[in-house]
Amino acid sequence: MLVSGTAYGGGQATAPVPIDPASWLSYDDYPVSAVKVGQHGTVSYRVFVGDDGGVISCIVTKSSGVPALDNQSCASIMQRARFIPAKDRAGRVRSGAYDGKVTWTVPQDASAGMPTTSMRIVFSATLDREGALVNCRMTFGSQDQPPPMEICRSMRETATRVGVAHRPDSPDGVFLVSESTTEFTGKPIAGVAPQPLTEIGRRTVRFHVDETGRATDCREERSGELFSTARSPCAEAPRYRTFDGSPVATDGVVTDRSGWRRRPSPDGV
């Protein structure tokens, strides 16, 4: 994670000076939805600083292409950033502005930890009657976000290969769904409900998180064809934690399921 910036504002004798910008964000701020699918990027932002050194507002001046990263950048900066206030030529404190960037890179250190939060991520793609990709989206919780296009292309290619893309019982095309859920004991999933679909494949991985936060004892069952799969909890040996940073012993299950349903005709029939 890299936070950098430059002062901004014409006519200022001294510009706002950031205080310990490295402490403004950490890997704990990385949106879970972005970590799950490996999304990364650089967010350019501008903050307006009051004469007390506090941040008045934050705007994204150049998007990373990932709304979750854009939103989290300003949210964390608004909460934690502090400045030495700008001064005018007479030495009086005044408001000012500061331009900066946040570069988000997916944490590679397993000790950074993943929160034991139950979640559901849904990728959905629409194919027309010719099997062409019409649109694709990713839904995390109740929010839609731009999906990684390689997943959209993989969904179309798999649907074509297994004979789902062209179905006589769905002449106007098909709606493809790839759903991944991670559930921990005693923590229900909030947000989007499971998608109604005709399943073509399912994968279930049950696992235990020990006292050190390590995922162990993974037991996988798989059937049929899958458009995409989540990372196995045991394959990369991630470390789990609670939101206060302490490890926790619990049980979890990852479920991937893929399927389709009819695309409604233009007249709604």
Side-chain angles (χ1 to χ4, degrees), residues 196-215:
L197 52 83
T198 300
E199 284 193 16
I200 64 169
R202 176 182 286 256
R203 167 181 174 256
T204 302
V205 181
R206 302 182 186 280
F207 61 100
H208 175 70
V209 179
D210 65 18
E211 291 79 4
T212 70
R214 294 286 185 185

Side-chain angles (χ1 to χ4, degrees), residues 19 32 34 36 54 71 90 102 112 137 141 144 150 162 173 184 187 220 239 253 269:
I19 299 173
V32 176
K36 290 282 286 185
N71 296 337
V102 178
R137 67 180 183 178
D144 287 345
E150 61 269 20
V162 301
F184 292 94
K187 298 183 177 181
E220 179 174 327
R239 191 180 295 275
V253 57
V269 177

Side-chain angles (χ1 to χ4, degrees), residues 132-227:
L133 185 65
V134 176
N135 60 52
C136 186
R137 67 180 183 178
M138 178 179 78
T139 304
F140 175 72
S142 58
Q143 298 181 340
D144 287 345
Q145 302 179 18
M149 287 308 297
E150 61 269 20
I151 292 182
C152 303
R153 289 191 290 268
S154 175
M155 292 175 70
R156 178 184 177 277
E157 291 168 1
T158 302
T160 301
R161 177 170 54 81
V162 301
V164 171
H166 303 278
R167 296 189 60 88
D169 56 347
S170 187
D172 293 292
V174 293
F175 186 68
L176 308 177
V177 175
S178 179
E179 179 184 274
S180 177
T181 62
T182 302
E183 298 182 73
F184 292 94
T185 301
K187 298 183 177 181
I189 296 176
V192 178
Q195 295 281 305
L197 52 83
T198 300
E199 284 193 16
I200 64 169
R202 176 182 286 256
R203 167 181 174 256
T204 302
V205 181
R206 302 182 186 280
F207 61 100
H208 175 70
V209 179
D210 65 18
E211 291 79 4
T212 70
R214 294 286 185 185
T216 63
D217 192 25
C218 281
R219 305 173 306 282
E220 179 174 327
E221 298 177 2
R222 182 191 291 253
S223 62
E225 296 280 350
L226 291 165
F227 296 136

